[in-house]
Amino acid sequence: MAEYPIVNAHHHIGRGGDSEDRVFEWQETIAQVIDAMDENHVDATMLMPLGGENDKAVTEVHDQIHEATEAFPGRIFGITAPNPHMGTEWVQDEITRCVQELDFKYAKLHTLAWGVDPTSQVAYDFYDACVENDVPVMVHTGPHGMPFSVPGMLMPVAEDYPELDIIMAHMGGAYTLTQEAIFMAERYDNLYLDTTLALNMYVRRAMEKVGADRLLMAAEHSSNIPVALTKIDCIGANEEQKRKILGQNAIDLYDLDVAKQDWDEQAAPADD
């Protein structure tokens, strides 16, 4: 069991109940997330709305996530994800509300689910709101969502917003685009790489080329938590590199106050 905090830095949840997400057609509850965290000894998870939450009703999911952060302090942290096509003023107000009132830690721009060009004016308005609220932005990258999800599309963004930390979700997500994401992160210090969907050998290459300081372990869904954790065990990382990738980088980047769990104590059998 790791003596350092483990943080799942990218996880989705929808409205709850029996309704599946309208884009990706899956759903899980806060209880399922917590159960999966406990089963896999994950100390904290960062929750964001699913991609199908593409209208102004996403505020309900933001509020649901906020309730979870209060029910599980130090274990659940919020991420805001309003669709920029809903209108610049509303989106900027919602990002501000989530950060300033709900203490959410970053914003997600879902280029695939919303059909957003990351170099467009609506995207730049989204980045402006992140800068104004002093939080990083995560941008979906990968072959699913092309051309808007190609890592190279973030080149002008990284140059135009040197003060903005940008996380490339899925670090390109596949062979050719993963290498492109690594090349991008080598070139721009404000680009970070998220390990969801990326193959082990490319996560290792990213660690070697970019360094462990800008890699973030994440699972995206509870069923993927064991895979996400095992992946970091398969890339030849030493304990210090694992400590950073598995949690410390997220803690530092997002200013998290994680409630480190005593897994040994929880695993101990009760006295007869």
Side-chain angles (χ1 to χ4, degrees), residues 207-230:
M207 180 180 69
E208 294 170 345
K209 297 288 187 179
V210 179
D213 292 345
R214 283 189 282 143
L215 276 173
L216 299 159
M217 185 279 296
E220 198 166 34
H221 186 272
S222 291
S223 62
N224 200 40
I225 291 176
V227 177
L229 295 171
T230 302

Side-chain angles (χ1 to χ4, degrees), residues 59-94:
T59 58
E60 299 173 11
V61 185
H62 287 152
D63 290 342
Q64 175 194 7
I65 292 171
H66 176 59
E67 291 173 2
T69 68
E70 294 191 317
F72 300 96
R75 299 208 67 197
I76 298 294
F77 296 92
I79 304 160
T80 179
N83 183 342
H85 293 311
M86 292 297 99
T88 294
E89 183 176 354
W90 179 83
V91 168
Q92 291 181 334
D93 286 347
E94 182 62 7

Side-chain angles (χ1 to χ4, degrees), residues 13 16-17 27-34 64 222:
I13 198 160
Q27 177 63 282
E28 62 179 328
T29 66
I30 298 292
Q32 288 172 320
V33 173
I34 292 293
Q64 175 194 7
S222 291

Side-chain angles (χ1 to χ4, degrees), residues 164-177:
L164 178 62
D165 290 319
I166 303 167
I167 303 92
M168 290 186 282
H170 317 304
M171 53 184 288
Y175 169 67
T176 303
L177 295 184

